């Protein structure tokens, strides 16, 4: 299959791509196929599949003692990627995260990906789980995305965890990382965050995908600052259309982003869900058009596995 960076290099116009979530545990992969199919006419060169780590739940037992149980609500990222590539003949990009993984488990997951012919990974730290508040690495896991990145880069050089493993095959992963036009919420300053991004790029990250944003100026400023810092890899904007009024408060709280006044006012004036969706679609189309003019290599949409809204946006653009 093809590396994301090669797909970008060979493109002569802005490409369309999107991200999907694995289905909830117990649901069929058909829901994913059903979400992807309507978007295939826009020729996505790659599709991202998110990774969702375990959560802890506490169950009250008969003796009134609490039992701590681990659940993973959306397993299957690796299998879904293989199934997507097999069915749609398109590259799938699994997200791999530090949280919940030991280095050895990560190595084994990367070996599986390599066997499956998956050559792209988006390397992330992962968010803290709800019950913990702040991110806690596994005792033998990675603390920051740069450490996980180092492990992937090492495997690309044939260096595995076991020192005695000589003459091991080198993998050939193309590596994406996350960037935050409005700063990652834990970073003390934008400069600090950019320096950490630069570190990831110097260590071997091939491209950056951004957190969602609703004000293009923030993205333009971010790209300029990245370039000033010497971060010269492709920067792919991540876009999400607003679909409900509730998202006016949920998105800033969840993703630590600001919404522009014009967008907030327009959504606030809506009387029905259908009106909100229409405003969200129009805003996203305008954002996309401006970003295309700016010359972004790809427009990457967060679909939340619902394709109808993103399809309407893609129809206006691609
Ligand atoms: P890092 O690069 O490790 O940065 C985390 C914080 O630590 C930042 O504030 C950074 O400035 C700081 N930092 C970085 N390196 C160092 C260092 N060496 N020393 C001190 N400070 C440092 N989460 C999921 O769980 N699953 C997904 O599938 C997923 N997909 C995503 C896709 C995209 C495009 C984006 C933007 C985010 C995604 N996330 C996902 C969320 C992501 O995991 C969180 O935002 C997480 O909190 C940070 O991940 P990161 O890779 O940016 O971390």
């Amino acid at each position: 299959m093809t590396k994301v960076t090669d797909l970008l290099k060979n493109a002569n116009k802005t490409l369309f791509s999107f991200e999907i979530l694995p289905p909830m545990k117990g649901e069929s992969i058909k829901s994913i196929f059903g979400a992807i199919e309507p978007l295939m006419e826009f020729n996505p060169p790659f599709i991202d599949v998110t990774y969702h780590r375990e959560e802890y739940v506490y169950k009250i037992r008969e003796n009134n003692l609490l039992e701590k149980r681990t659940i993973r609500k959306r397993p299957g990222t690796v299998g879904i990627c293989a199934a997507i590539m097999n069915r749609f003949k398109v590259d799938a990009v699994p997200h791999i995260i530090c949280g919940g993984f030991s280095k050895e488990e990560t190595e084994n997951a990367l070996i599986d990906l390599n066997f499956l012919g998956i050559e792209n990974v988006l390397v992330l730290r992962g968010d803290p789980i709800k019950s913990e508040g702040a991110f806690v690495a596994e005792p033998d896991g990675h603390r920051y995305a740069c450490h996980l990145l180092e492990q992937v880069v090492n495997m690309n050089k044939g260096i595995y965890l076991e020192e005695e493993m000589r003459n091991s095959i080198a993998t050939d992963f193309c590596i994406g990382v996350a960037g935050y036009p409005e700063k990652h919420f834990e970073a003390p300053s934008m400069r600090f965050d950019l320096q950490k991004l630069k570190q990831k790029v110097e260590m071997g990250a091939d491209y950056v995908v951004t957190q969602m944003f609703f004000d293009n100026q923030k993205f333009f400023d971010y790209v300029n600052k990245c370039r000033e810092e010497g971060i010269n890899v492709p920067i792919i904007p991540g876009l999400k259309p607003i679909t409900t009024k509730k998202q006016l408060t949920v998105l800033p709280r969840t993703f630590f982003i600001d919404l522009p006044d014009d967008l907030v006012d327009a959504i606030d004036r809506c009387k029905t869900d259908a009106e909100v969706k229409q405003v969200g679609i129009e805003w996203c189309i305008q954002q996309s058009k401006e970003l295309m003019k700016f010359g972004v290599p790809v427009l990457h949409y967060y679909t939340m596995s619902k394709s109808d809204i993103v399809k309407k946006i893609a129809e206006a653009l691609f």
Side-chain angles (χ1 to χ4, degrees):
M1 299 302 278
T2 317
K3 296 188 172 52
V4 166
T5 41
D6 289 336
L7 292 164
L8 303 190
K9 245 182 257 159
N10 298 333
N12 50 13
K13 59 179 175 100
T14 303
L15 303 170
F16 163 79
S17 80
F18 59 94
E19 170 188 294
I20 55 154
L21 279 61
M24 294 299 279
K25 195 173 205 160
E27 283 177 18
S28 151
I29 193 162
K30 284 191 188 135
S31 61
I32 288 298
F33 289 163
I36 293 175
E37 249 145 31
L39 299 176
M40 287 311 292
E41 64 178 283
F42 308 107
N43 299 317
F46 60 91
I47 298 170
D48 275 50
V49 183
T50 57
Y51 187 90
H52 298 263
R53 64 176 294 190
E54 78 288 355
E55 289 286 342
Y56 297 122
V57 289
Y58 289 90
K59 297 244 169 185
I60 300 176
R61 290 281 151 233
E62 275 168 14
N63 51 10
N64 266 344
L65 290 176
L66 285 178
E67 185 195 347
K68 187 176 175 185
R69 296 254 301 265
T70 310
I71 47 163
R72 274 188 59 208
K73 292 183 188 157
R74 292 178 186 271
T77 300
V78 173
I80 290 167
C81 284
I84 290 173
M85 288 178 31
N86 183 41
R87 180 159 176 136
F88 296 105
K89 312 290 173 245
V90 61
D91 279 283
V93 184
H95 292 190
I96 57 167
I97 64 171
C98 306
F101 281 89
S102 69
K103 289 173 196 158
E104 197 188 349
E105 285 164 339
T106 297
E107 183 170 277
N108 292 339
L110 290 166
I111 289 170
D112 280 347
L113 293 173
N114 193 44
F115 285 159
L116 288 165
I118 295 172
E119 286 194 9
N120 297 289
V121 283
L122 193 73
V123 166
L124 302 145
R125 187 194 67 182
D127 277 323
I129 55 175
K130 284 184 200 104
S131 49
E132 281 176 345
F135 180 83
V136 181
E138 292 302 300
D140 184 28
H142 296 298
R143 173 72 187 86
Y144 291 109
C146 61
H147 303 138
L148 172 55
L149 181 104
E150 187 180 24
Q151 187 175 4
V152 184
V153 169
N154 275 339
M155 282 183 68
N156 278 352
K157 294 179 189 154
I159 302 169
Y160 288 64
L161 292 175
E162 204 56 62
E163 276 175 24
E164 286 84 56
M165 281 177 64
R166 298 276 171 240
N167 303 320
S168 305
I169 60 135
T171 55
D172 192 16
F173 289 109
C174 171
I175 308 168
V177 291
Y180 302 83
E182 299 181 55
K183 189 179 85 60
H184 183 262
F185 70 101
E186 288 167 25
S189 70
M190 183 53 116
R191 207 178 115 245
F192 179 94
D193 210 19
L194 284 171
Q195 284 167 350
K196 297 302 168 199
L197 180 64
K198 186 175 183 190
Q199 187 187 354
K200 290 193 274 191
V201 171
E202 284 175 345
M203 288 171 72
D206 296 297
Y207 68 99
V208 176
V209 186
T210 76
Q211 183 58 277
M212 66 181 75
F213 57 90
F214 293 87
D215 177 354
N216 281 349
Q217 196 52 50
K218 294 201 164 132
F219 176 80
F220 300 147
D221 293 346
Y222 183 69
V223 172
N224 288 337
K225 280 189 212 136
C226 284
R227 301 310 182 215
E228 279 165 22
E229 275 292 329
I231 300 166
N232 290 316
V233 294
I235 301 178
I236 299 175
L239 295 174
K240 181 191 152 22
I242 292 209
T243 51
T244 64
K245 232 178 209 189
K246 208 170 145 202
Q247 288 172 355
L248 286 184
T249 49
V250 171
L251 296 179
R253 204 170 54 227
T254 312
F255 299 105
F256 304 90
I257 49 159
D258 258 351
L259 300 178
D261 286 336
D262 288 354
L263 176 62
V264 175
D265 292 346
I267 288 181
D268 212 25
R269 280 195 297 272
C270 293
K271 302 235 166 3
T272 63
D273 286 350
E275 278 177 36
V276 174
K277 283 196 178 118
Q278 198 47 39
V279 171
I281 289 170
E282 278 163 22
W283 188 274
C284 196
I285 291 173
Q286 287 318 315
Q287 259 196 290
S288 304
K289 282 186 177 163
E290 208 184 5
L291 288 162
M292 275 174 154
K293 256 197 209 150
F294 183 72
V296 297
V298 187
L299 289 165
H300 186 70
Y301 295 92
Y302 297 115
T303 66
M304 317 306 268
S305 297
K306 293 199 179 75
S307 48
D308 53 334
I309 303 279
V310 172
K311 184 175 164 69
K312 288 202 172 103
I313 294 162
E315 274 167 353
L317 298 162
F318 296 96

